[in-house]
Amino acid sequence: MKEKLLEIARDTKLVDEGQLRRFMADHNGGGRGLEEALLETTLFSEGQVLKLFGEYYGLEFVEQILPNEVPAEFLTVVPANYAQQHALLAVAKEDGVLKVATSNPLNFYPLDNVGKMVGCTVRPVLAIRAIINAAINGAYEHRVTVLEEVAGEVDAQNIEGLLTEVSSSEDLLDVVNRPPVIRLVNDILFRALQLRASDVHIHPLEQTIHVRYRIDGIMYDMLTLDYRTLPLVVSRVKVMAGMDIAERRMPQDGRCSVKIGPREVDLRVSTVPTSYGERTVLRLLDKSSGLLDMSDLGLNPSELKKIDLMLRRPHGVFFVTGPTGSGKTTTLYSFLRRINSIDKNIITIEDPIEYQLEGISQIQVASKKGMTFVTSLRHVLRQDPDVIMVGEVRDEETARMVIQSSLTGHLVFSTLHTNDSAGAITRMLDLSVEPYLVSSSVIGVLAQRLIRRLCMDCKECVTADSAKMRELGLGFAGFEKVYTSRGCEKCFNTGYRGRAGIYEFMPVDDDIRQCIYQRKTASTIKKVAMEAGLISLRMDGLQKVEAGITSIEEVLRVAQADEI
């Protein structure tokens, strides 16, 4: 073998013949074969060694593997964890022979096992291990999941006997040879992640169960199940989330993590009893896509600059407002990431902690144990913080503590549920906080909504509808062209894919402080702010319509008219 490899090196110039000869002279085995030793040395790259052995064994070397070209029969019968463990992936099927990429051609047993699983002849081809692993994750993530077929398997079996099959959580990609109940729940979650769903609803009705996904803020029916499968599906979800499967008469909450290849996804699970059985909602938090930089939020450049300056202030309260699910926490996380540094002590109080922030201490509220926002905040103030984030201001006591914290020299971030930026001021006054405290502590308010982005694959430019433009008002009726989308497979035929934010940033200046002292209404405060240059939610939405990011209908759906 050594002489043949040296001859190949001399003829092909794949590796330096002199270096290879010296390496072989020094190689004394040590229980390892020559191939293993060459792959571990730093003298040659993995690709060079594999090409060298490819020439020796007469095996093809592939530079890249496209996940969407992996034969479906391989993905159907070979478990994902088996493919990952042995770094094996089919790349093509020609004349009844399955080509399987490997980085270790001398390890015959895994290849033989794949041949038995698939039921055909397997021919190895060589590829770099990192390329194989990356393609494995991509191929299994993009496989087509036919939920109706898996649901049919559950319906066809003895439903009472299947209750014993619920077990602990595992990789969602690994569904081969799993019991039908586990396959069904795994595939429901897997399909939800493929479609970028934020929530999965398992909704029992009189005769059926509806599985519904919330995608980009809109609910879609995805699957109908036999009503008899409800205890199976709910029990499986409860086991995954560490909940009591015997308790069906009281609401329960739980959480767990599932893997989808290298990605980890947090699940927050809630069950409530209804007249037709337990209704279950799962919130999906993909850790790999949750954290954004401030520059990725979609803020107007001038507003971004103003907010950036405000984040550098030593003390004050900054509120982010909007309804549930409008991205407030994501925005606050981006603010904390922007100012996070070794010279600042940053502590957050959250319910629940959605994403882990490196270098920041995060505290989970536990109301049942007496650990509320207020009690947590009292203890946090003894921890010598520079910056504090309070998940939400819900009551008078929390509001007062947030204000007092800023007055004692801390920068405080928090959220409120109000319709616009001016509403945050009046909300604080409604919580019985004195006007002089609000005016001296609140430094800015950012109101936001999430709008759906037009699908880039089916977006098209059309002539503007003047009636709709008049409905929007605000002097933007001069649009000649706007964008819309037809709908395609990539966007689930909705015309939208992904979401962006629209924002209304109101810095608290002297004029607004005067309005707060005088207890002016929210509409009066907003009018003063707009005279000073405030860009309202609807105005920001229109700018994104003009930029081709979203549609007029989407702006009309999420942003109310400016009543001033």
Side-chain angles (χ1 to χ4, degrees):
M1 175 189 277
K2 290 183 178 180
E3 289 304 319
K4 182 64 176 175
L5 289 174
L6 288 168
E7 183 184 331
I8 293 169
R10 184 168 56 252
D11 293 342
T12 62
K13 309 297 184 188
L14 286 170
V15 297
D16 183 87
E17 183 192 355
Q19 279 187 315
L20 181 60
R21 188 179 298 277
R22 286 190 293 274
F23 179 83
M24 288 178 174
D26 295 337
H27 175 63
N28 57 5
R32 296 179 305 162
L34 180 60
E35 182 182 357
E36 286 182 66
L38 280 170
L39 284 170
E40 290 177 11
T41 183
T42 56
L43 291 173
F44 313 112
S45 70
E46 183 184 359
Q48 287 177 312
V49 175
L50 289 174
K51 286 177 183 178
L52 186 68
F53 278 95
E55 291 288 333
Y56 179 80
Y57 291 116
L59 297 176
E60 179 187 353
F61 179 86
V62 292
E63 297 281 356
Q64 64 173 350
I65 302 172
L66 300 176
N68 57 347
E69 293 182 3
V70 175
E73 59 191 292
F74 182 92
L75 301 175
T76 303
V77 299
V78 179
N81 60 355
Y82 187 87
Q84 288 163 343
Q85 181 182 350
H86 298 287
L88 296 170
L89 185 65
V91 295
K93 188 174 184 181
E94 298 174 358
D95 301 325
V97 177
L98 193 68
K99 289 185 175 181
V100 177
T102 177
S103 61
N104 188 359
L106 296 183
N107 193 1
F108 301 112
Y109 297 110
L111 289 166
D112 290 343
N113 287 337
V114 169
K116 291 173 185 175
M117 292 179 198
V118 180
C120 69
T121 304
V122 169
R123 180 187 301 157
V125 297
L126 299 178
I128 295 171
R129 189 181 186 94
I131 289 175
I132 296 173
N133 286 333
I136 287 171
N137 294 325
Y140 279 89
E141 285 187 31
H142 290 94
R143 67 187 167 87
V144 177
T145 305
V146 184
L147 286 172
E148 290 77 6
E149 290 182 7
V150 185
E153 288 182 35
V154 178
D155 294 346
Q157 296 203 8
N158 179 356
I159 288 176
E160 287 74 20
L162 290 174
L163 270 171
T164 59
E165 294 181 346
V166 293
S167 62
S168 60
S169 177
E170 60 234 356
D171 194 332
L172 295 184
L173 298 182
D174 186 19
V175 294
V176 179
N177 301 324
R178 302 303 298 159
V181 178
I182 296 175
R183 283 190 63 200
L184 176 61
V185 174
N186 282 10
D187 279 353
I188 286 172
L189 295 174
F190 177 69
R191 186 69 174 143
L193 289 165
Q194 281 185 318
L195 294 172
R196 301 170 290 99
S198 60
D199 301 85
V200 176
H201 292 243
I202 301 171
H203 186 187
L205 300 176
E206 187 173 5
Q207 299 293 331
T208 59
I209 305 164
H210 284 185
V211 178
R212 310 173 76 198
Y213 293 168
R214 185 178 294 279
I215 303 170
D216 294 335
I218 306 296
M219 293 284 285
Y220 297 96
D221 278 337
M222 291 301 301
L223 181 67
T224 301
L225 299 173
D226 187 312
Y227 181 78
R228 295 173 299 162
T229 64
L230 181 66
L232 298 172
V233 175
V234 174
S235 294
R236 167 61 178 161
V237 172
K238 283 182 175 180
V239 168
M240 291 173 68
M243 298 155 72
D244 183 357
I245 63 172
E247 179 57 76
R248 299 181 181 179
R249 296 173 298 173
M250 295 292 290
Q252 291 191 69
D253 293 315
R255 64 185 305 162
C256 64
S257 292
V258 295
K259 288 184 178 178
I260 176 167
R263 292 161 55 198
E264 192 169 355
V265 180
D266 274 350
L267 302 182
R268 292 212 308 266
V269 182
S270 170
T271 63
V272 293
T274 69
S275 55
Y276 297 121
E278 287 183 283
R279 177 177 178 138
T280 306
V281 177
L282 301 95
R283 168 66 58 89
L284 310 178
L285 297 169
D286 189 347
K287 293 181 177 180
S288 64
S289 61
L291 297 176
L292 298 176
D293 191 78
M294 271 182 64
S295 56
D296 299 324
L297 294 176
L299 283 159
N300 182 302
S302 62
E303 305 293 285
L304 183 62
K305 189 175 180 180
K306 292 177 188 175
I307 292 173
D308 211 10
L309 289 171
M310 199 162 285
L311 297 182
R312 310 295 170 181
R313 292 199 184 182
H315 54 82
V317 181
F318 191 113
F319 283 116
V320 178
T321 78
T324 302
S326 60
K328 300 187 296 296
T329 304
T330 300
T331 298
L332 284 178
Y333 279 170
S334 73
F335 290 174
L336 294 179
R337 289 182 72 196
R338 174 63 68 96
I339 62 175
N340 187 18
S341 61
I342 58 172
D343 61 342
K344 282 190 172 68
N345 180 20
I346 302 176
I347 302 178
T348 73
I349 306 169
E350 304 174 63
D351 184 21
I353 297 171
E354 294 192 7
Y355 300 100
Q356 296 294 332
L357 295 168
E358 189 176 348
I360 293 176
S361 300
Q362 296 172 266
I363 297 171
Q364 169 73 56
V365 169
S367 300
K368 292 179 181 177
K369 298 177 182 178
M371 190 76 167
T372 63
F373 280 115
V374 174
T375 55
S376 301
L377 190 51
R378 285 199 183 102
H379 291 288
V380 162
L381 289 173
R382 300 187 191 118
Q383 292 284 315
D384 186 31
D386 297 298
V387 180
I388 306 168
M389 184 188 107
V390 180
E392 184 183 346
V393 172
R394 298 174 178 170
D395 50 42
E396 179 185 347
E397 196 174 6
T398 310
R400 287 187 175 278
M401 280 297 295
V402 164
I403 296 292
Q404 292 295 340
S405 300
S406 75
L407 294 176
T408 53
H410 304 93
L411 182 60
V412 184
F413 298 108
S414 191
T415 68
L416 279 170
H417 290 285
T418 61
N419 289 328
D420 57 13
S421 55
I425 302 297
T426 53
R427 173 69 178 147
M428 292 297 287
L429 297 176
D430 290 342
L431 289 172
S432 302
V433 180
E434 287 79 3
Y436 73 89
L437 291 175
V438 175
S439 63
S440 59
S441 59
V442 179
I443 57 175
V445 182
L446 180 71
Q448 69 178 70
R449 300 286 189 280
L450 290 178
I451 53 170
R452 293 181 292 170
R453 287 179 176 270
L454 289 170
C455 174
M456 297 302 294
D457 292 287
C458 57
K459 182 172 75 171
E460 58 185 7
C461 190
V462 297
T463 304
D465 184 333
S466 57
K468 283 181 182 173
M469 300 313 298
R470 282 195 299 273
E471 186 178 353
L472 283 168
L474 301 172
F476 279 79
F479 282 166
E480 293 182 2
K481 296 286 184 180
V482 293
Y483 291 85
T484 186
S485 50
R486 302 181 305 276
C488 63
E489 289 183 3
K490 291 186 178 179
C491 62
F492 200 48
N493 291 316
T494 61
Y496 299 94
R497 194 166 75 220
R499 288 195 285 182
I502 57 173
Y503 301 92
E504 176 181 296
F505 173 58
M506 184 183 77
V508 177
D509 57 19
D510 289 339
D511 291 334
I512 292 175
R513 287 193 188 94
Q514 194 61 38
C515 292
I516 297 171
Y517 279 129
Q518 298 170 6
R519 289 184 176 270
K520 298 286 188 181
T521 62
S523 58
T524 304
I525 293 172
K526 189 167 185 176
K527 183 176 181 180
V528 171
M530 290 187 75
E531 289 172 355
L534 177 137
I535 299 173
S536 71
L537 285 167
R538 185 167 279 197
M539 290 164 69
D540 190 41
L542 285 167
Q543 291 178 358
K544 288 179 168 62
V545 169
E546 191 172 24
I549 295 171
T550 190
S551 65
I552 294 173
E553 292 84 356
E554 192 64 8
V555 174
L556 289 171
R557 182 179 71 86
V558 302
Q560 64 181 11
D562 298 307
E563 298 175 2
I564 56 174

